[in-house]
């Protein structure tokens, strides 16, 4: 199976247009057998800030990845592992310059009943920039960790509730870029 797609969007912050995104994505999947599937993916996107004062932060991002999925319990459960590597190329003099990064993600999901499923995902990304940040006099290095736990509950034939708890932690040698974030959501 081969899928190719387009990426287009506008991100808003405080009800104001902040950043535009445009790009291409592709994915190839190959079933090894009835329980195992391999995948390869790639993406290239342009990120452009709308506010002229932020255009120095513009960048192009390219990512390549590979994954493996294993289904078990008669197809009611699965485990997924993905590894990605990529680069962000600064296009307008970004303070930190170019960024190279690597990501590893593990996920699982299971149908607990005909109407209830559960899922979990954990990931880690390590990134390193190539230009001395003039504000902090450091080559910036970041580590991002995230975990999500949730469920999907079918309440009507075409409607389901999706409660979810997500946690994200960013570590950096530049303290300005460190944070902890917890998000609890309920989607219909």
């Amino acid at each position: 199976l081969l899928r190719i797609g387009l990426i287009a969007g506008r991100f808003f912050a405080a009800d104001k247009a902040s950043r535009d995104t445009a790009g291409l994505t592709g994915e190839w999947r190959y079933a090894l057998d009835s329980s195992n599937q391999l995948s390869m993916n790639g993406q290239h996107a342009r990120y452009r800030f709308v506010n002229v004062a932020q255009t120095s932060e513009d960048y192009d991002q390219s990512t390549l990845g590979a994954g493996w999925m294993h289904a078990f319990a008669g197809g009611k459960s699965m485990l997924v592992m993905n590894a990605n590597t990529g680069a962000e190329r600064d296009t307008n003099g970004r303070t930190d310059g170019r960024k190279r990064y690597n990501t590893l993600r593990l996920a699982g999901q299971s149908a607990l009943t005909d109407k209830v499923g559960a899922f979990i995902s954990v990931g880690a990304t390590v990134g390193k920039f190539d230009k001395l940040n003039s504000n902090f006099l450091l080559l910036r290095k970041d580590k991002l960790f995230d975990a999500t736990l949730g469920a999907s509950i079918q309440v009507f034939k075409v409607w389901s509730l999706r409660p979810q708890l997500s946690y994200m932690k960013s570590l950096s040698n530049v303290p300005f870029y460190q944070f902890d974030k917890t998000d609890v959501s309920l989607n219909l």
Side-chain angles (χ1 to χ4, degrees), residues 90-137:
D90 61 313
T91 60
N92 209 7
R94 182 166 68 177
T95 304
D96 296 308
R98 178 186 175 117
K99 176 183 175 184
R100 292 200 168 275
Y101 59 89
N102 296 296
T103 300
L104 180 63
R105 178 161 307 282
L106 302 171
Q109 70 179 44
S110 184
L112 304 175
T113 70
D114 288 344
K115 296 186 183 229
V116 178
F119 58 90
I120 187 169
S121 172
V122 294
T125 300
V126 177
K128 183 178 178 182
F129 292 81
D130 73 349
K131 193 189 293 183
L132 185 71
N133 182 310
S134 60
N135 296 317
F136 303 103
L137 301 177

Side-chain angles (χ1 to χ4, degrees), residues 40-82:
M40 293 185 70
N41 60 73
Q43 174 180 303
H44 179 76
R46 296 169 43 113
Y47 296 86
R48 299 295 182 262
F49 288 84
V50 175
N51 184 332
V52 174
Q54 293 180 298
T55 58
S56 64
E57 298 300 313
D58 291 352
Y59 62 95
D60 293 343
Q61 182 186 61
S62 298
T63 303
L64 292 174
W68 168 70
M69 182 192 74
H70 176 71
F72 56 98
K76 292 186 177 186
S77 298
M78 76 168 91
L79 291 173
V80 178
M81 181 177 75
N82 286 303

Side-chain angles (χ1 to χ4, degrees), residues 11-50:
F11 176 76
F12 288 82
D15 294 325
K16 293 182 182 175
S18 175
R19 183 183 69 219
D20 291 331
T21 305
L24 297 168
T25 184
E27 179 183 37
W28 171 79
R29 293 183 183 188
Y30 178 74
L32 293 172
D33 56 40
S34 62
S35 297
N36 293 285
Q37 179 175 282
L38 298 177
S39 65
M40 293 185 70
N41 60 73
Q43 174 180 303
H44 179 76
R46 296 169 43 113
Y47 296 86
R48 299 295 182 262
F49 288 84
V50 175

